[in-house]
Amino acid sequence: MAPALDIEPLDATFGAVVRGIKVATIDESTFRELYSAWLDYALLIFPDQHLTREQQIAFAKRFGPPEFEMTALSNVKDDGTLRREADNDDRMKILKGNMGWHCDSTYMPVQAKGAVFCAEIVPTIGGHTGFADMRAAYDALDQALKARIEGLAAHHSLHYSQSKLGHDTRKSDGEYSGYGFHDGPVPLRPLVKTHPETGRKSLLIGRHAHNIPGLSQAESDRLLQELVEFACQPPRIYHHDWTPGDAVLWDNRCLLHRATPWDMTQPRVMWHSRIAGDPASEAGLH
């Protein structure tokens, strides 16, 4: 009989710290318990895991096929030198862009299901990761606003969100892989999303969202900004202060997240494994 999980809820509407297990070696019954906790809490934090890259990929794959197996989110170049903030290359622009609240891959044909994120090297100042509960945010809206947004949708584009930072995504300096900068259709996604496994409604907003059909540009911008500002407030937010070896798992179908600034004269090396969404529930509207 596997021991019951040691789960300590965060002081927020979501999220929990899970202790006493090594996620790389859990058996199937423990995994099923963990999966159920993930659906309940949407964010699970596992201290002191120190996963190898292979272990991280294998753990992420238990939650579903990968959208991609692993990428580094880091200000350290391949040659070990630090990427200078002043140079503001394409990779730095992506790091800065990630500091806005967003869901992963809403700009792709199929939105991601979730992600596993692990800390290898963390700075002494800053570099936290914020998460925000879009289920609780939807629940907290007044009835008039719920009624107003119920039938609305927004386009989602990484070209759009990066252009807001002055990033000319059509020109490449070769520092960024270009993931997400596709020339395919710009997905249209409802502002109110129903979770395919829990049935709970949540807001689907964030920095990639823009141009709500039926509204003027100014009305669309104002509504999307108001929703983010309302949604991303206590008790619906949590910012994780990383320790090397931490692993985090989140449900991208109902949480926003963001990076926060850090002292970029210090290295920060994080590893991200993205879990693919189910096209039946995570594709854009047609």
Side-chain angles (χ1 to χ4, degrees):
M1 181 80 179
L5 294 176
D6 177 1
I7 298 176
E8 180 188 348
L10 300 174
D11 183 20
T13 58
F14 71 110
V17 179
V18 182
R19 296 188 176 86
I21 61 169
K22 291 294 186 184
V23 298
T25 57
I26 56 173
D27 62 22
E28 189 56 33
S29 65
T30 305
F31 174 74
R32 286 197 298 271
E33 193 180 347
L34 198 63
Y35 194 98
S36 177
W38 178 57
L39 292 180
D40 287 343
Y41 290 103
L43 171 71
L44 297 179
I45 299 159
F46 306 96
D48 197 31
Q49 297 295 314
H50 298 281
L51 298 178
T52 66
R53 294 179 201 182
E54 292 74 18
Q55 286 173 333
Q56 177 174 333
I57 291 166
F59 179 57
K61 282 182 174 177
R62 295 186 79 165
F63 293 84
E67 182 176 320
F68 55 76
E69 289 191 345
M70 179 167 282
T71 191
L73 289 173
S74 171
N75 63 332
V76 182
K77 295 184 180 183
D78 292 342
D79 64 6
T81 62
L82 285 185
R83 201 173 290 284
R84 292 188 342 144
E85 199 166 358
D87 291 342
N88 203 28
D89 62 21
D90 282 355
R91 181 61 68 94
M92 184 62 70
K93 287 171 182 160
I94 290 288
L95 290 174
K96 292 289 181 72
N98 285 337
M99 293 176 189
W101 289 110
H102 63 285
C103 280
D104 283 339
S105 297
T106 55
Y107 45 79
M108 301 297 280
V110 178
Q111 177 181 338
K113 180 180 184 178
V116 176
F117 203 39
C118 293
E120 181 182 342
I121 301 170
V122 303
T124 59
I125 300 171
H128 301 174
T129 300
F131 299 92
D133 184 355
M134 295 299 101
R135 306 168 305 179
Y138 175 79
D139 292 345
L141 294 176
D142 64 49
Q143 287 306 122
L145 190 49
K146 280 182 181 174
R148 182 185 175 202
I149 67 174
E150 184 63 46
L152 296 181
H155 292 96
H156 286 250
S157 165
L158 188 60
H159 289 294
Y160 166 82
S161 50
Q162 286 298 114
S163 72
K164 301 279 278 188
L165 305 173
H167 184 179
D168 185 347
T169 58
R170 305 294 174 179
K171 296 177 181 172
S172 172
D173 62 13
E175 289 296 315
Y176 177 64
S177 69
Y179 190 83
F181 291 146
H182 59 82
D183 293 322
V186 177
L188 184 66
R189 300 187 178 280
L191 294 191
V192 180
K193 178 178 176 56
T194 299
H195 196 288
E197 294 186 83
T198 68
R200 284 189 70 178
K201 288 186 174 182
S202 63
L203 293 175
L204 179 49
I205 50 177
R207 75 187 191 99
H208 306 310
H210 63 290
N211 285 13
I212 296 172
L215 300 188
S216 70
Q217 174 104 39
E219 288 175 316
S220 173
D221 289 351
R222 187 161 59 245
L223 176 57
L224 290 168
Q225 185 62 33
E226 284 174 2
L227 287 172
V228 169
E229 288 176 0
F230 173 82
C232 300
Q233 298 286 339
R236 299 182 289 272
I237 56 172
Y238 165 76
H239 282 82
H240 186 62
D241 186 1
W242 294 93
T243 298
D246 285 353
V248 157
L249 165 75
W250 77 84
D251 191 334
N252 190 61
R253 299 166 295 183
C254 58
L255 298 185
L256 295 184
H257 62 280
R258 68 173 179 185
T260 61
W262 74 93
D263 176 358
M264 285 197 178
T265 65
Q266 298 184 16
R268 182 179 189 262
V269 181
M270 313 289 291
W271 296 96
H272 178 95
S273 299
R274 193 168 296 178
I275 304 158
D278 179 352
S281 60
E282 306 313 311
L285 300 172
H286 296 295

